[in-house]
Amino acid sequence: MVQDVRTLQVQLEDRSYPIYIGRQLISGRWFREAGVPAGRKLLLVTDEHVGPHYLNLWTEALEEAGYRVFTHTVPAGEASKSLQTFEDIITFALECGLDRNSVIVALGGGVIGDLAGYVAAAYMRGIPYVQIPTTLLAHDSSVGGKVAINHPQAKNMIGAFHQPLMVIYDVDTLKTLPQREISNGMAEMVKHGLIGDVELVDLLEQSMEDLLQLSPDGFEDALEKAIAVKVAVVSQDERENGLRAILNYGHTLGHAIEALSHKQGEPIIHGEAVSIGMIGAAQLGVRYGCDSSIVERTRVLLQRAGLPTILPRRIDADSILRIMAHDKKFKDNQAVFILPKGIGEVYIQTGVPIQWVRETIDQLYGEV
Amino acid sequence: MVQDVRTLQVQLEDRSYPIYIGRQLISGRWFREAGVPAGRKLLLVTDEHVGPHYLNLWTEALEEAGYRVFTHTVPAGEASKSLQTFEDIITFALECGLDRNSVIVALGGGVIGDLAGYVAAAYMRGIPYVQIPTTLLAHDSSVGGKVAINHPQAKNMIGAFHQPLMVIYDVDTLKTLPQREISNGMAEMVKHGLIGDVELVDLLEQSMEDLLQLSPDGFEDALEKAIAVKVAVVSQDERENGLRAILNYGHTLGHAIEALSHKQGEPIIHGEAVSIGMIGAAQLGVRYGCDSSIVERTRVLLQRAGLPTILPRRIDADSILRIMAHDKKFKDNQAVFILPKGIGEVYIQTGVPIQWVRETIDQLYGEV
């Protein structure tokens, strides 16, 4: 039974869509409300981790609502964001006879959302798709329509802006996540607070430990606020021409840290790397005039979220700077950073000297 | 030197763009006018037929205007619209360091426009591209933003709606085309007249033979009118949700005829198949009340354009109907056709009985 559902609305003219947040949301009702008539073909794409938990439940609910459901399961992990898997799903969609009225359903975390979303963007020049995120991290990636697969030489190089028909965020699906994955997603929730919602930061500070347990009291409140920040930004800058850059708070250093750690075979996962990156951004922000209390307040919050705030020495500064240079983060030895003005407000700072970036990285190793 | 350029404007809010029609248009000027600053990277994609004629001229003109030009040449023909070629071009673009400000330039016919356009749609989630069509047929495909590559099982299955930054139509590039290719494109010009511009039909009837010679007197007039019909339709229905279907006049039968002839290894090329298809559409239209003179008037015009108007018996009716069924053209033994009301006006007719379609095909074999 569906109960106590919160709805957020992404406003993008004819590409507007709702985000449902709640528990026990597995139901065909949302599809009917979105105007998908019974009889339509739906292709559920999931991975080998998520499928065993939720694929049958969703399939049954959707078939009960009168849809013709097909399913395709890919291996879990980033390697599935390949052109080969992309082509395989399109082949399967053709074999199932999906047409321009059919709907792709992305059931899983960020990899599945990106992959299935890009299939939907490309199939017959674009068909509708639905995001059903099953990780906390995907509260971020499932909203905003950025979909992509990887090129062997670069992540997310082949993609589109393709807004979903809706996002169905069933908090119950988070219960099967390991704690590290909850913390992983919590990093982006903290980010959303820091860039746009003081009240969310307050809420996180009041009850982080409860939130990590998905406590019914406050969890949906916090999640709704975090998604609302993303929604507000995306609604103003769908195609990342300006404002949307602030969503990269903590990501400029974070991406480099994440990439390096993967190369070393000892992954610092996305939220963890962004956590360290947000400490760096806070420190840099202080150089530009932000009150220095922001560093400590950010650090305490992230630590309570179970996230690292110190950079391991194996991730050396030279390598970070090299990756940033390779990713064209520097121009004339200066970089662009998203920096805090205070809690809940950030801005885009151009012309950050490479030397300051290096000094910031050095600070991230912590006290010797 | 640039002279006597006509400009049409596709009106699609922030995706609006100009179409330049004229002679001796090879120049960096259009890129500057489109707001592409000197220093930007441009990737020219062409094929082995077009490249030897125009690639160096364009490269020199663009380098002279201060752009950093890279070039990539693919084999001529439909086989280049593959995922493999798509990936190859993206790999090359990465190696050249193209970023979100770089521009892809499609220099060639419909295959190159579709392929390079889809690379531009997908690369980094979409970068600008410019259409420089070099065939008469591409006066149609280069306008409107439909780009795609083929799946082994189905044409144009992987694609996007991605509007170009501009279309540069240099009539001089048509001079190297064989006559069959001129006729191929003329079929779509006749179609544009029949669906939307009586004056264009008059013009074609007055001087078809001169137009096939690209005569400076009237050719640009006719071309401009033909493109203007496409522009008007696309401006009203960018993503083919309704009106844009009328551009398929003659294509319902035409596509099936084209596909079958290719399977038989004796291709009836696109414009030729559409030509036969337009005779069929006219005949069907008469059944629905259109004045019967339209059949003869269409036939004479197409014959003067050097196009076939009789269906070879090797393309049998059963196979055509089978292909139409496979392409989901029938629902409850009825089809949707674009039919003429009169010269210059068409409408969407649903519920066309399969028996009428069969009888129309039988008529197309001509007198026994």
Side-chain angles (χ1 to χ4, degrees):
Chain A
M1 215 190 63
V2 173
Q3 48 187 321
D4 190 23
V5 183
R6 295 139 190 262
T7 308
L8 290 167
Q9 188 74 17
V10 180
Q11 296 291 359
L12 290 168
E13 295 169 15
D14 59 340
R15 299 175 303 291
S16 298
Y17 56 93
I19 301 164
Y20 301 111
I21 304 165
R23 302 187 189 231
Q24 301 179 12
L25 299 191
I26 299 181
S27 160
R29 162 183 166 188
W30 318 110
F31 288 74
R32 287 197 304 274
E33 286 182 9
V36 183
R40 285 282 162 84
K41 290 181 177 175
L42 311 183
L43 171 54
L44 272 63
V45 178
T46 192
D47 72 29
E48 289 170 350
H49 286 170
V50 175
H53 291 292
Y54 307 111
L55 189 58
N56 283 344
L57 293 172
W58 269 108
T59 300
E60 283 165 20
L62 293 169
E63 286 181 340
E64 204 170 288
Y67 298 111
R68 298 160 73 187
V69 180
F70 303 86
T71 66
H72 188 83
T73 303
V74 304
E78 189 75 19
S80 283
K81 280 176 63 175
S82 66
L83 263 171
Q84 186 57 57
T85 310
F86 169 78
E87 184 179 4
D88 291 346
I89 300 176
I90 287 185
T91 302
F92 184 69
L94 278 167
E95 287 165 358
C96 298
L98 263 65
D99 60 27
R100 285 176 71 176
N101 292 317
S102 305
V103 180
I104 306 266
V105 180
L107 176 63
V111 166
I112 292 298
D114 275 7
L115 170 66
Y118 188 55
V119 168
Y123 189 71
M124 295 186 170
R125 295 197 183 86
I127 66 171
Y129 76 112
V130 173
Q131 290 274 19
I132 305 184
T134 60
T135 65
L136 187 53
L137 189 61
H139 88 271
D140 183 29
S141 58
S142 65
V143 175
K146 279 175 75 169
V147 294
I149 53 177
N150 299 330
H151 182 277
Q153 290 175 28
K155 268 186 75 163
N156 295 327
M157 199 47 58
I158 300 171
F161 290 90
H162 186 55
Q163 301 295 340
L165 191 62
M166 59 185 159
V167 180
I168 305 170
Y169 204 116
D170 189 336
V171 173
D172 281 336
T173 61
L174 305 181
K175 290 179 181 163
T176 46
L177 288 180
Q179 199 61 47
R180 189 180 182 191
E181 264 308 313
I182 299 284
S183 294
N184 192 21
M186 190 56 78
E188 295 283 1
M189 285 180 69
V190 171
K191 181 199 78 179
H192 285 129
L194 291 173
I195 68 172
D197 187 348
V198 180
E199 282 182 27
L200 172 55
V201 176
D202 289 343
L203 194 58
L204 296 172
E205 288 179 331
Q206 279 157 33
S207 34
M208 178 57 78
E209 289 71 20
D210 288 345
L211 294 174
L212 292 175
Q213 301 305 316
L214 314 177
S215 124
D217 288 348
F219 186 77
E220 275 98 325
D221 284 344
L223 186 61
E224 184 181 356
K225 282 181 190 295
I227 296 179
V229 171
K230 175 89 184 239
V231 166
V233 172
V234 167
S235 294
Q236 286 171 76
D237 178 21
E238 181 180 9
R239 297 181 72 94
E240 204 163 340
N241 295 317
L243 179 68
R244 195 159 174 164
I246 70 170
L247 296 170
N248 288 325
Y249 188 63
H251 284 60
T252 312
L253 288 172
H255 272 152
I257 294 167
E258 185 183 2
L260 269 173
S261 74
H262 276 85
K263 276 191 193 167
Q264 295 178 350
E266 201 177 334
I268 298 174
I269 61 180
H270 184 75
E272 295 168 351
V274 169
S275 175
I276 299 168
M278 286 192 287
I279 299 294
Q283 287 166 336
L284 258 176
V286 171
R287 288 196 180 223
Y288 281 94
C290 185
D291 190 282
S292 65
S293 64
I294 196 162
V295 179
E296 204 45 30
R297 205 169 154 190
T298 303
R299 187 194 312 277
V300 170
L301 188 53
L302 291 168
Q303 284 175 342
R304 286 174 61 198
L307 290 161
T309 55
I310 289 176
L311 184 61
R313 291 207 174 266
R314 65 182 164 98
I315 312 286
D316 69 292
D318 282 340
S319 300
I320 293 178
L321 293 172
R322 213 160 26 236
I323 285 202
M324 287 178 65
H326 178 263
D327 292 348
K328 304 204 180 52
K329 301 286 187 191
F330 293 111
K331 199 175 168 180
D332 303 330
N333 284 322
Q334 298 181 323
V336 176
F337 267 81
I338 313 302
L339 297 182
K341 270 191 189 146
I343 297 289
E345 196 177 359
V346 294
Y347 63 101
I348 302 173
Q349 177 68 55
T350 57
V352 178
I354 194 167
Q355 183 56 29
W356 287 22
V357 179
R358 176 182 291 278
E359 288 166 15
T360 299
I361 297 170
D362 285 339
Q363 277 181 284
L364 286 175
Y365 296 118
E367 310 309 322
V368 196
Chain B
M1 218 190 61
V2 172
Q3 46 186 325
D4 189 25
V5 182
R6 295 138 191 263
T7 307
L8 290 167
Q9 188 74 16
V10 180
Q11 295 291 358
L12 290 168
E13 293 166 18
D14 59 341
R15 300 176 302 291
S16 298
Y17 55 94
I19 301 164
Y20 301 112
I21 304 165
R23 304 190 187 227
Q24 301 180 12
L25 300 191
I26 299 180
S27 160
R29 161 182 167 191
W30 319 110
F31 289 74
R32 287 198 304 274
E33 286 183 7
V36 182
R40 285 283 162 82
K41 290 180 178 175
L42 311 183
L43 171 55
L44 272 61
V45 178
T46 193
D47 70 30
E48 289 170 350
H49 285 172
V50 175
H53 292 291
Y54 307 111
L55 188 58
N56 283 344
L57 293 172
W58 269 107
T59 301
E60 283 165 21
L62 292 169
E63 286 181 340
E64 204 171 289
Y67 298 111
R68 298 161 70 188
V69 180
F70 303 86
T71 65
H72 189 83
T73 302
V74 304
E78 190 75 18
S80 283
K81 282 175 64 176
S82 67
L83 264 170
Q84 186 56 58
T85 310
F86 168 78
E87 184 178 4
D88 290 346
I89 300 176
I90 287 186
T91 303
F92 183 69
L94 278 167
E95 287 166 359
C96 298
L98 263 66
D99 60 27
R100 284 176 70 175
N101 292 317
S102 305
V103 179
I104 307 265
V105 179
L107 176 63
V111 165
I112 291 298
D114 276 7
L115 169 67
Y118 188 54
V119 168
Y123 189 72
M124 296 186 170
R125 295 196 183 88
I127 66 170
Y129 75 113
V130 172
Q131 291 274 19
I132 306 186
T134 60
T135 65
L136 186 53
L137 190 61
H139 88 272
D140 184 30
S141 58
S142 65
V143 175
K146 280 176 74 171
V147 294
I149 54 176
N150 299 329
H151 183 278
Q153 289 174 29
K155 269 187 73 165
N156 295 328
M157 199 47 57
I158 301 170
F161 290 89
H162 186 54
Q163 301 296 339
L165 191 62
M166 60 185 159
V167 181
I168 304 171
Y169 204 116
D170 189 336
V171 174
D172 281 335
T173 61
L174 305 181
K175 289 181 183 162
T176 46
L177 289 179
Q179 198 59 49
R180 190 180 181 188
E181 264 308 316
I182 298 284
S183 295
N184 192 21
M186 190 56 77
E188 295 284 0
M189 285 181 69
V190 171
K191 181 199 79 179
H192 284 129
L194 290 173
I195 69 173
D197 188 347
V198 181
E199 281 182 29
L200 172 55
V201 176
D202 289 343
L203 194 57
L204 296 172
E205 288 180 331
Q206 277 157 33
S207 33
M208 179 56 78
E209 289 70 20
D210 287 344
L211 294 173
L212 292 176
Q213 300 306 317
L214 314 177
S215 121
D217 287 347
F219 186 78
E220 275 97 325
D221 284 343
L223 186 62
E224 183 181 357
K225 282 179 189 296
I227 296 177
V229 170
K230 175 91 185 239
V231 166
V233 172
V234 167
S235 294
Q236 286 173 74
D237 177 22
E238 181 180 9
R239 295 181 73 92
E240 204 163 340
N241 293 317
L243 179 69
R244 194 159 174 166
I246 70 169
L247 296 171
N248 288 324
Y249 187 63
H251 284 61
T252 312
L253 289 172
H255 272 152
I257 293 167
E258 184 182 2
L260 269 173
S261 74
H262 276 83
K263 278 191 194 168
Q264 293 178 350
E266 202 176 333
I268 297 174
I269 61 180
H270 185 74
E272 294 168 350
V274 168
S275 174
I276 299 168
M278 285 193 285
I279 299 294
Q283 285 166 339
L284 257 176
V286 171
R287 287 198 180 221
Y288 280 94
C290 184
D291 190 281
S292 65
S293 64
I294 196 161
V295 179
E296 204 46 30
R297 205 169 154 190
T298 303
R299 189 194 311 275
V300 169
L301 188 53
L302 291 169
Q303 284 175 340
R304 286 174 62 197
L307 290 160
T309 56
I310 289 178
L311 184 62
R313 291 208 172 265
R314 66 184 165 96
I315 312 285
D316 70 292
D318 282 341
S319 300
I320 292 177
L321 292 172
R322 220 167 13 243
I323 285 201
M324 288 178 66
H326 179 265
D327 292 349
K328 303 202 179 54
K329 301 287 187 190
F330 293 112
K331 201 175 168 182
D332 304 329
N333 284 322
Q334 298 180 324
V336 176
F337 268 81
I338 313 302
L339 297 183
K341 270 191 190 146
I343 296 289
E345 197 178 358
V346 294
Y347 64 100
I348 301 173
Q349 176 67 54
T350 57
V352 179
I354 193 168
Q355 183 55 30
W356 288 22
V357 179
R358 176 182 290 279
E359 288 165 14
T360 300
I361 296 170
D362 284 340
Q363 277 182 282
L364 287 175
Y365 295 119
E367 309 310 323
V368 195

